[in-house]
């Protein structure tokens, strides 16, 4: 893991991740969307047979209740208990985000906001080569807390037409019964546009590969989406008090995601930087995905030695990382200085993987600088806010002339008329 002399060299490399030409993939995505729109289930089955399993038909594309229950019964008792603890912790955190309808009344006016959950939500869970039950919990629980009535799930199956047991077990624990064996662009398009088999949803959440990301982006407007997720990233700010083994392990936890994941250390301690470098070498040799890790660290990893922790925070705010760790003495002293981060992990024992699975806050976070203006997935993403406006006659007459004056300033005489006729009455 290279030590950079200045931040510009590292920031330039990070920016390269978002400058990829996806025009060829986008052309394929648009064609699949067009086919789903025109041919519905026929196209859905055709693409699922091509990309996932030749065994999938309209009769078995929906996961049966027995398959879901079997998935739950297949996993170990220890994993079942772990999943239940995760569910409870994620649920308890998101309950604090729950909003209620509110109004206030004054002098013949009633103003307020009505909170309504979305009716139909689609959750995309990546699958095929890997399984991500954490996606099920993080995407479904806030929707359930918000009060969403209908939640469907799509996920790729393997060549034998089977969905991962751990994904099905997570769905079983959460009571999700409408699960479909399809992935990629075709699954996103089916949920966004609707087919006879898969009902159209109001919003799609969940990560995926470049085909999934571009499909969500292309269909945004016909359906709401959570975000267009980029590659995973972590930034650790550490001082001389940090444990180099902890820091190295957390940097590696993101590097193993894929070759364009980013792992960055900012520290005011040269000794710590060198110790982390050595520890990364030692740990990497023990890990299953060391080829991916090495490419990730070579391409988009790096260490910058700063004069102070405050300087490191300034650089971090510029990068706006998905995951930010403050492995420093008295980390709470720096919290107010953090402006841009998806999630903050404070102290030596708040491991990033804790946030991925068990802590409670959502792990669906903004990436590639978007923490400057986006927030983690939450209950707020599954509700609509509708304004409430009521005026009685006296209240309107107090302000009606101002309404008409404002409307005339914009040249909208019908708007003014709507106020004036009420005052005349």
């Amino acid at each position: 893991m290279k030590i950079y002399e200045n931040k510009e060299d590292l920031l330039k490399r990070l920016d390269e991740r978002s400058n990829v030409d996806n025009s060829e993939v986008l052309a394929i995505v648009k064609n699949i969307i067009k086919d789903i729109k025109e041919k519905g289930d026929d196209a859905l089955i055709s693409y699922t047979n091509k990309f996932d399993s030749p065994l999938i038909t309209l009769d078995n594309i929906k996961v049966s209740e027995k398959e879901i229950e079997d998935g739950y019964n297949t996993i170990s008792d220890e994993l079942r208990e772990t999943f239940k603890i995760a569910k409870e912790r994620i649920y308890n955190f998101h309950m604090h985000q729950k909003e209620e309808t509110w109004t206030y009344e004054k002098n013949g006016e009633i103003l307020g906001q009505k909170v309504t959950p979305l009716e139909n939500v689609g959750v995309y869970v990546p699958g095929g080569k890997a399984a991500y039950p954490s996606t099920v919990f993080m995407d479904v629980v806030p929707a359930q807390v918000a009060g969403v009535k209908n939640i469907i799930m799509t996920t790729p199956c393997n060549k034998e037409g089977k969905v991962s047991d751990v994904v099905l077990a997570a769905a079983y624990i959460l009571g999700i019964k409408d699960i479909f064996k399809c992935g990629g662009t075709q699954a996103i398009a089916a949920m966004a546009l609707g087919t006879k088999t898969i009902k159209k949803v109001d919003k799609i959440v969940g990560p995926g590969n470049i085909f999934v990301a571009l499909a969500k982006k292309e269909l945004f407007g016909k359906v709401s989406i959570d975000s267009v997720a980029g590659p995973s990233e972590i930034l650790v700010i550490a001082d001389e008090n940090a444990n180099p083994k902890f820091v190295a392990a957390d940097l590696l936890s993101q590097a193993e995601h894929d070759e364009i994941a980013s792992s960055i250390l900012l520290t005011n301690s040269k000794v710590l930087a060198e110790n982390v470098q050595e520890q990364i070498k030692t740990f990497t040799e023990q890990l299953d995905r060391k080829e991916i890790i090495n490419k990730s660290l070579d391409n988009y990893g790096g260490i910058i030695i700063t004069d102070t922790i405050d300087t490191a925070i300034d650089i971090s705010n510029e990068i706006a990382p998905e995951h930010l760790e403050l492995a420093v003495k008295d980390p709470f002293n720096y919290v107010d200085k953090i402006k841009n981060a998806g999630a903050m992990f404070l102290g030596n024992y708040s491991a990033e993987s804790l946030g991925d699975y068990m802590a409670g806050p959502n792990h669906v976070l903004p990436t590639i600088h978007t923490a400057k203006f986006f927030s983690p997935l939450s209950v707020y993403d599954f509700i609509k806010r509708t304004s409430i406006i009521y005026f009685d006659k006296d209240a309107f007459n107090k302000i009606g002339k101002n309404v008409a004056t404002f409307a005339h300033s914009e040249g909208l005489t019908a708007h003014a008329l709507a106020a004036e006729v009420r005052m005349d009455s």
Side-chain angles (χ1 to χ4, degrees):
M1 193 169 179
K2 181 179 176 182
I3 296 179
Y4 284 81
E5 296 296 327
N6 58 73
K7 68 175 184 177
E8 282 74 22
D9 292 341
L10 180 56
L11 293 177
K12 183 179 179 181
R13 292 190 72 86
L14 294 180
D15 286 340
E16 291 173 2
R17 297 189 306 162
S18 55
N19 294 328
V20 178
D21 181 7
N22 292 316
S23 56
E24 291 186 9
V25 176
L26 182 58
I28 296 171
V29 166
K30 286 183 175 181
N31 189 57
I32 294 174
I33 291 172
K34 179 174 178 289
D35 283 347
I36 296 293
K37 183 177 181 180
E38 294 176 353
K39 302 174 185 175
D41 283 340
D42 289 342
L44 178 63
I45 295 300
S46 177
Y47 284 115
T48 300
N49 291 158
K50 180 178 180 180
F51 296 121
D52 296 327
S53 169
L55 303 178
I56 299 302
T57 67
L58 280 178
D59 292 330
N60 64 15
I61 192 170
K62 183 175 180 181
V63 180
S64 69
E65 289 191 20
K66 184 179 185 304
E67 287 176 288
I68 298 171
E69 189 172 352
D70 286 347
Y72 174 78
N73 290 329
T74 298
I75 66 172
S76 68
D77 292 341
E78 182 182 15
L79 185 55
R80 273 197 294 272
E81 182 61 23
T82 295
F83 279 178
K84 290 176 181 178
I85 294 171
K87 173 196 171 182
E88 182 178 6
R89 294 186 62 89
I90 296 165
Y91 178 85
N92 288 340
F93 175 85
H94 286 86
M95 277 298 294
H96 288 279
Q97 298 176 338
K98 195 171 175 64
E99 289 193 0
E100 303 292 341
T101 295
W102 56 266
T103 60
Y104 66 90
E105 185 174 355
K106 182 180 180 181
N107 299 329
E109 303 175 19
I110 298 175
L111 303 174
Q113 181 173 269
K114 181 179 183 294
V115 175
T116 308
L118 301 182
E119 285 277 334
N120 305 293
V121 166
V123 174
Y124 184 87
V125 180
K129 295 181 180 179
Y132 298 99
S134 60
T135 296
V136 182
F137 288 108
M138 293 294 181
D139 287 346
V140 170
V141 170
Q144 290 180 330
V145 171
V148 176
K149 286 184 177 180
N150 305 309
I151 301 174
I152 69 169
M153 195 172 95
T154 61
T155 186
C157 59
N158 62 19
K159 292 296 182 183
E160 288 70 45
K162 188 176 185 330
V163 172
S164 162
D165 286 328
V166 290
V167 168
L168 293 179
Y172 180 89
I173 290 170
L174 295 174
I176 302 302
K177 296 181 179 180
D178 293 325
I179 307 171
F180 298 91
K181 303 174 184 178
C182 55
T185 299
Q186 59 273 19
I188 300 298
M191 289 191 287
L193 303 173
T195 72
K196 287 184 178 180
T197 299
I198 296 181
K199 183 178 180 180
K200 183 185 186 311
V201 299
D202 304 310
K203 183 162 192 165
I204 297 173
V205 298
N209 61 18
I210 188 62
F211 289 91
V212 170
L214 290 180
K216 288 169 69 177
K217 188 174 182 180
E218 186 69 16
L219 287 160
F220 176 66
K222 294 185 180 299
V223 68
S224 177
I225 63 172
D226 48 357
S227 64
V228 180
S232 191
E233 54 200 30
I234 186 172
L235 188 151
V236 180
I237 296 176
D239 61 15
E240 66 278 2
N241 299 292
N243 186 316
K245 289 185 178 182
F246 296 175
V247 173
D250 288 350
L251 292 168
L252 291 169
S253 72
Q254 294 308 294
E256 76 173 343
H257 271 293
D258 57 57
E259 296 169 5
I260 57 174
S262 170
S263 301
I264 299 168
L265 169 62
L266 306 178
T267 179
N268 61 346
S269 169
K270 185 178 180 182
V271 173
L272 178 77
E274 291 172 347
N275 287 339
V276 169
Q277 274 186 316
E278 289 303 312
Q279 197 61 59
I280 282 175
K281 291 178 184 177
T282 301
F283 279 156
T284 300
E285 289 305 310
Q286 307 169 15
L287 298 172
D288 294 339
R289 298 166 69 90
K290 59 185 174 183
E291 290 184 10
I292 291 174
I293 288 170
N294 284 326
K295 288 182 179 179
S296 171
L297 295 179
D298 288 345
N299 292 331
Y300 303 110
I303 301 172
I304 298 176
I305 299 175
T306 63
D307 294 334
T308 66
I309 294 300
D310 283 336
T311 301
I313 288 174
D314 289 340
I315 297 172
S316 175
N317 282 330
E318 187 174 353
I319 293 173
E322 177 187 14
H323 306 93
L324 170 63
E325 288 191 8
L326 289 175
V328 297
K329 184 179 180 181
D330 300 324
F332 284 95
N333 289 342
Y334 297 98
V335 168
D336 287 345
K337 296 180 180 182
I338 302 301
K339 298 177 182 177
N340 305 315
M344 287 188 288
F345 299 78
L346 308 179
N348 286 318
Y349 288 90
S350 301
E352 187 279 328
S353 53
L354 184 71
D356 276 348
Y357 303 119
M358 302 295 294
N362 210 287
H363 79 191
V364 180
L365 303 169
T367 59
I368 312 184
H369 309 308
T370 60
K372 291 180 179 180
F373 45 82
F374 281 146
S375 303
L377 188 72
S378 67
V379 174
Y380 315 127
D381 290 292
F382 298 98
I383 61 174
K384 300 175 293 181
R385 301 173 182 90
T386 304
S387 299
I388 297 171
I389 301 168
Y390 168 82
F391 279 66
D392 67 18
K393 182 177 180 180
D394 290 340
F396 182 81
N397 283 334
K398 289 177 183 177
I399 202 171
K401 183 177 179 181
N402 300 109
V403 174
T405 299
F406 211 134
H408 281 301
S409 78
E410 295 186 344
L412 299 176
T413 54
H415 280 64
L417 177 64
E420 291 163 349
V421 295
R422 284 172 168 82
M423 290 188 291
D424 290 344
S425 69

